[in-house]
Amino acid sequence: MQEDFDEQMMRRAIELARNATGRTSPNPLVGAVVVKEGRIVAEGWHRQAGTPHAEVHALNMAGELAKGATVYVSLEPCAHYGRTGPCAKALVEAGVSRVVIAMTDPNPKVAGKGIQILREAGVEVVTGVLKKEAYELNEVFLKWITTGKPFVALKTAMSLDGKIATAGGESQWITNEKSRYQGHRLRDIYDGILVGINTVLQDNPSLTTRLREYQGQNPVRIVLDSQARLPLDSKLATDGAARTIVAVSAQAPATRKAALEAAGLEVLVAGTDKVDVVELMNQLGAMRITSILVEGGGRVNFSLLEAGLVDRVYAFVAPKLIGGSQALTPVEGEGFAQLAQAVELENIQTSLLDNDVMITGRVRRPECE
């Protein structure tokens, strides 16, 4: 059946798009497959922002075989001139006869215009094939392009009884090496990594990506630091390993802010007496930081959950029991007063990492149900 074949080819396009996970920001992940007479003749995916889009790679590979072919694309072809030309026009000029699209692009510069260009040129267009899978593929881009805020993922490592440190503050290492390595893979695909000032004062972290099999990329380092207390001799201020942003309040001493800037750090003011995380996310989104991995403590985590800013959770759970009423937990602060207010996850996935378990899921948005 044609519908089954269309889904098979679209699944391949989505698979191709995943090859560039973490490398296309602020652009979406897109894959394309060219099919002629029932067989794949060319494939392509968008590799990096500013480089040719998936459709162009696939059309270049197909050459003359593109004439009369069907092209499967995981996102509506663009219709505007940016750093590259409009893919919808490239498809028309290549002489394709049919284009199958997983989902329309909510980017106002596209938003149906690519489909319109194709149909006006007499190209048959089919939409909505594996739409749900295509949405999940581009959850980061879709959050940023529709709200202006980054996609926020909260990552935590804890014991089986929900402790992120002992009562005495010891936390290295609760989870095993494989879990920690997976955490570095997450750092490699998110634009930014966010912690609170207490994490910096206690651990002096580098917040860089350390992978064995390939050279990872370091995320932008972001510190919530209302009073600009970040030590000038900390790794974040001295190693030069990555762009570092310190978010402060309007009440932070001017001398401390100036000292941070003199050390080469960027200072953002968001909020009056403490950092306003909603205002901060708006600023970061305007800076084209489209995704953030949060590795903060319980208070930072709760502030973001309470503000409704968290989109995904990664929980690494070790089969250990630590105990202690004073031992820290992943989410602290005041907490939610009623179970009905609790943050609930959906689309849950689990992975076994030796004896540790990683659980991840999207935050359920009641307004979307």
Side-chain angles (χ1 to χ4, degrees), residues 149-150 152 194 277-285 292 304 309:
K149 293 182 178 68
V152 176
L194 183 147
V277 289
V278 175
E279 182 181 340
L280 174 62
M281 290 302 163
N282 286 329
Q283 291 188 45
L284 295 173
I292 295 174
L304 294 166
L309 293 170

Side-chain angles (χ1 to χ4, degrees), residues 17-310:
R18 291 191 191 281
N19 287 329
T21 299
R23 297 298 182 267
T24 63
S25 179
N27 290 354
L29 295 165
V30 184
V33 176
V34 181
V35 173
K36 191 156 189 184
E37 297 176 357
R39 67 183 183 91
I40 295 174
V41 297
E43 298 178 332
W45 66 91
H46 183 42
R47 288 167 167 76
Q48 187 176 7
T51 66
H53 291 183
E55 300 92 324
V56 173
H57 283 298
L59 291 174
N60 287 341
M61 179 183 290
E64 289 298 314
L65 292 175
K67 291 183 179 178
T70 295
V71 178
Y72 295 84
V73 192
S74 58
L75 187 68
E76 178 183 3
C78 64
H80 62 287
Y81 287 91
R83 284 183 282 183
T84 61
C87 292
K89 290 187 176 181
L91 290 166
V92 171
E93 292 169 358
V96 306
S97 63
R98 183 171 180 259
V99 177
V100 181
I101 300 167
M103 65 175 292
T104 56
D105 189 342
N107 185 342
K109 294 180 179 179
V110 186
K113 299 183 181 71
I115 293 173
Q116 182 180 354
I117 288 173
L118 293 169
R119 284 178 170 157
E120 287 180 350
V123 177
E124 179 188 352
V125 178
V126 177
T127 62
V129 176
L130 298 189
K131 180 179 179 179
K132 180 177 180 290
E133 290 85 344
Y135 184 92
E136 292 172 353
L137 169 72
N138 272 309
E139 61 181 6
V140 167
F141 170 77
L142 294 171
K143 165 72 179 297
W144 176 71
I145 202 68
T146 57
T147 70
K149 293 182 178 68
F151 182 92
V152 176
L154 189 158
K155 177 243 172 184
T156 189
M158 66 182 128
S159 63
L160 191 60
D161 56 341
K163 309 297 184 181
I164 62 173
T166 66
E170 183 183 355
S171 61
Q172 297 183 338
W173 299 102
I174 290 176
T175 53
N176 63 29
E177 183 178 354
K178 188 169 283 189
S179 289
R180 298 195 297 273
Y181 186 72
Q182 185 63 30
H184 281 279
R185 290 178 65 88
L186 292 176
R187 290 183 180 184
D188 180 51
I189 65 174
Y190 279 82
D191 288 354
I193 181 170
L194 183 147
V195 298
I197 184 59
N198 287 334
T199 294
V200 178
L201 296 175
Q202 293 169 10
D203 301 335
N204 191 24
S206 59
L207 303 181
T208 53
T209 300
R210 297 181 292 280
L211 296 170
R212 291 187 297 267
E213 72 273 29
Y214 62 91
Q215 180 65 44
Q217 60 183 5
N218 291 330
V220 177
R221 304 179 294 195
I222 305 158
V223 182
L224 302 183
D225 185 12
S226 295
Q227 296 302 313
R229 293 186 293 150
L230 190 141
L232 296 178
D233 61 352
S234 65
K235 292 177 183 178
L236 298 185
T238 61
D239 65 11
R243 177 184 177 190
T244 304
I245 296 172
V246 183
V248 305
S249 71
Q251 291 186 3
T255 54
R256 291 182 184 170
K257 291 190 292 183
L260 292 173
E261 291 175 333
L265 308 178
E266 297 176 50
V267 176
L268 290 183
V269 179
T272 304
D273 56 344
K274 64 178 182 178
V275 175
D276 183 323
V277 289
V278 175
E279 182 181 340
L280 174 62
M281 290 302 163
N282 286 329
Q283 291 188 45
L284 295 173
M287 297 164 68
R288 298 166 78 85
I289 295 174
T290 67
S291 62
I292 295 174
L293 182 67
V294 179
E295 293 192 10
R299 284 185 291 177
V300 167
N301 292 345
F302 180 69
S303 69
L304 294 166
L305 288 165
E306 185 181 34
L309 293 170
V310 177

Side-chain angles (χ1 to χ4, degrees), residues 310-358:
V310 177
D311 300 287
R312 177 171 289 279
V313 173
Y314 296 96
F316 294 82
V317 183
K320 299 175 182 177
L321 299 172
I322 294 175
S325 60
Q326 301 304 310
L328 300 176
T329 61
V331 183
E332 295 183 340
E334 295 181 2
F336 296 107
Q338 299 175 337
L339 281 177
Q341 298 173 302
V343 173
E344 188 173 355
L345 304 183
E346 60 185 3
N347 299 332
I348 303 298
Q349 296 176 314
T350 61
S351 302
L352 190 62
L353 303 169
D354 287 338
N355 289 328
D356 289 356
V357 177
M358 185 192 78

